[in-house]
Amino acid sequence: AALGVPDRAQPGCAVGIFRNGKPAELVNAGLADVATGRAIGTDTQFYAASVSKQFTAVAVLQLVAAGKVGLGDSIRKYIPELAPYADKVTVQMLLNMTGGVRDSLSLLALEGYERISGPDRKQALLGVYRQQDAKFEPGTQYDYSNGGYLLLSEMVERVAGQPFEAYVNAKVLKPLGMTRSFMMLGARTTDANVAKGYVVKDGKVSEADEYPLFGGSGGLITTVADLAKWDHDIDTGHKVWTPQISKWMAEPGKFLNGAPAIRSGRGIAYGNALLVGDHWFHHTGGAVGFKTLYGHLREKRMGVALLCNNGAIDPAPHADKVVAALGEGLPAIGEPSADGSALNGIYRNPNL
């Protein structure tokens, strides 16, 4: 009931509740394929959208831990094709969404691509390379950017000497046994048990199975059962989420002045591909026909995954309903992480 999915032929969600690094409750509702009536299951593959970003961040931090990348390095050190403004944009800023790099998906839309699955990785990168400046002084504002994570993935590719997607598949997913998951490299999954994307409006179901086919800011195909393995490594395994990487991943980002890198109006700081609250760290994902979420509540050793193939929903309130339905008085996933006092002061806007 917390999922808000009716019994009639509609898309829905796969939900996982994980405790102490193990699946506790796995609930599926709705259809993976409305036309055929095939139901969503625990092993149904979904497009993860921006939940993919934490896998990109872990790949970056593996190279940092190995001494091959520095968090304080300029991204232009690794990608000299970028304009001189990028000298001031560090790897850490890109992870924290404070670099001011323009959004690669927005640039593709402006270039006239009506179907986001049309352009390839190279075309997306070229759109970012063409930009001659940042949106603001790097390190001074928060601005969500798929372009920044695309650049991070390109850096991984160049430093590792292999395609980014191949690196993630081999070094991040395979060690955890996430055999139903992979980063796409130019092609969709051909698996029979895959969720198609839809939009439901006023009870009417429309197919909306469109998403980019390369990794970096998105690109991950995964299942709730595989996200249980991700949660297990965070909680217990520490094969990929080593103690050092776990520490980095759970750190809220900071602006150059030391204030937390807070999303405007949200009161929650952005870390390394995770929104880091006082209790939960989490990230949502959205594509035309998909909405996703993964969150972890550290003090309770609890995780929540939500994979939905209805792009018309907001995943965070749905996940909060799932958490509330447990009846344990747990904090909401999107609980603010800061009181805003760091933002107090006098501000001047030359445009006003």
Side-chain angles (χ1 to χ4, degrees):
L3 299 178
V5 178
D7 293 331
R8 60 185 180 274
Q10 292 205 353
C13 303
V15 177
I17 304 289
F18 318 122
R19 297 182 189 272
N20 302 324
K22 297 178 181 178
E25 297 178 61
L26 300 173
V27 180
N28 306 299
L31 301 178
D33 189 328
V34 171
T36 64
R38 177 168 51 84
I40 291 170
T42 302
D43 288 317
T44 299
Q45 291 181 331
F46 285 79
Y47 176 61
S50 287
V51 169
S52 311
K53 285 184 172 71
Q54 59 201 271
F55 294 81
T56 300
V58 165
V60 169
L61 294 174
Q62 285 180 335
L63 298 178
V64 174
K68 297 178 179 179
V69 169
L71 288 171
D73 290 349
S74 164
I75 188 61
R76 203 168 178 228
K77 172 182 176 181
Y78 304 99
I79 309 176
E81 294 94 323
L82 289 163
Y85 80 88
D87 285 335
K88 294 183 178 181
V89 179
T90 67
V91 172
Q92 185 67 76
M93 288 176 192
L94 294 181
L95 286 166
N96 295 153
M97 302 289 189
T98 62
V101 171
R102 286 182 172 78
D103 189 89
S104 51
L105 299 183
S106 299
L107 291 171
L108 288 170
L110 289 169
E111 288 179 22
Y113 292 101
E114 294 182 8
R115 295 173 60 248
I116 200 62
S117 63
D120 59 19
R121 177 185 180 83
K122 182 179 179 181
Q123 289 166 310
L125 281 164
L126 287 174
V128 180
Y129 296 165
R130 280 192 283 267
Q131 304 306 303
Q132 295 302 303
D133 59 2
K135 293 179 73 173
F136 46 81
E137 183 67 20
T140 66
Q141 295 184 41
Y142 168 91
D143 185 70
Y144 191 88
S145 173
N146 290 297
Y149 270 74
L150 182 62
L151 292 179
L152 288 170
S153 70
E154 179 65 10
M155 180 189 70
V156 170
E157 181 161 311
R158 295 185 185 194
V159 172
Q162 65 182 126
F164 166 74
E165 293 82 356
Y167 178 91
V168 172
N169 293 339
K171 301 295 186 181
V172 180
L173 301 175
K174 188 176 179 180
L176 305 185
M178 296 178 69
T179 57
R180 298 277 296 149
S181 302
F182 69 99
M183 278 283 181
M184 291 181 290
L185 182 53
R188 291 169 170 264
T189 179
T190 57
D191 196 90
N193 187 9
V194 60
K196 289 186 176 180
Y198 300 92
V199 171
V200 181
K201 188 174 182 180
D202 300 325
K204 183 183 177 183
V205 180
S206 303
E207 190 166 316
D209 203 27
E210 267 289 307
Y211 44 82
L213 303 181
F214 51 88
S217 63
L220 180 71
I221 298 294
T222 193
T223 70
V224 159
D226 268 5
L227 288 178
K229 298 172 183 177
W230 186 243
D231 187 82
H232 172 79
D233 198 59
I234 292 170
D235 180 89
T236 310
H238 305 308
K239 287 183 179 179
V240 171
W241 280 69
T242 62
Q244 178 61 73
I245 288 177
S246 296
K247 179 177 180 293
W248 281 327
M249 288 294 286
E251 285 179 349
K254 292 181 179 179
F255 296 127
L256 288 175
N257 66 0
I262 292 175
R263 304 170 77 190
S264 178
R266 297 291 184 93
I268 188 167
Y270 200 92
N272 297 315
L274 293 166
L275 286 152
V276 184
D278 291 335
H279 301 282
W280 294 85
F281 59 68
H282 82 284
H283 207 289
T284 58
V288 179
F290 295 90
K291 290 295 169 64
T292 60
L293 180 145
Y294 169 75
H296 188 80
L297 180 58
R298 286 158 285 185
E299 65 258 39
K300 296 288 186 180
R301 295 182 60 193
M302 177 181 170
V304 173
L306 186 77
L307 298 176
C308 303
N309 61 336
N310 176 6
I313 71 163
D314 186 341
H318 272 64
D320 279 337
K321 289 178 183 177
V322 170
V323 170
L326 297 173
E328 299 172 24
L330 298 170
I333 292 174
E335 185 180 44
S337 63
D339 63 9
S341 61
L343 301 178
N344 289 348
I346 298 172
Y347 295 79
R348 173 175 172 79
N349 185 337
N351 296 323
L352 299 176

